Amino acid sequence: MKVNFIMKSPEMALEFVRFSSEFVDDIELKNENISVDGKSILGVLSIGFPVEVEVIFHSDNPIALRLFDAYITKLLNDYEVKQDD
């Protein structure tokens, strides 16, 4: 599963890493030529903000894929609302 979005802030990155760490599957964040572990707060913070990232969730578990997709949707909605306030 691949998803592109803008990682807007360190707070958003921390929330992303906390949730990602719950999965046994590999999660990769890419920005241009940089690729970091999506479960590593230091790796994710090293990309900078705001930055467009591609998230690659390496799983063939349909339940994990649905859960991760729902979480990404919620994360993006939460941070879109926060930005507009």
Side-chain angles (χ1 to χ4, degrees), residues 1-7 12-13 16-17 19-20 23 25-32 34-39 44 47 51-59 65 68-69 71-72 75-76:
M1 163 190 254
K2 293 182 182 182
V3 179
N4 293 325
F5 66 90
I6 296 176
M7 188 72 75
M12 186 179 187
F16 177 84
V17 170
F19 183 80
S20 296
F23 290 90
D25 307 288
D26 289 333
I27 300 171
E28 182 180 0
L29 254 66
K30 288 186 173 184
N31 171 263
E32 296 177 8
I34 300 170
S35 178
V36 298
D37 181 353
K39 298 178 187 181
V44 175
I47 295 177
V51 64
E52 186 172 343
V53 295
E54 177 182 40
V55 177
I56 304 168
F57 184 55
H58 299 277
S59 179
L65 290 167
F68 193 77
D69 183 54
Y71 168 72
I72 291 294
L75 179 71
L76 296 177

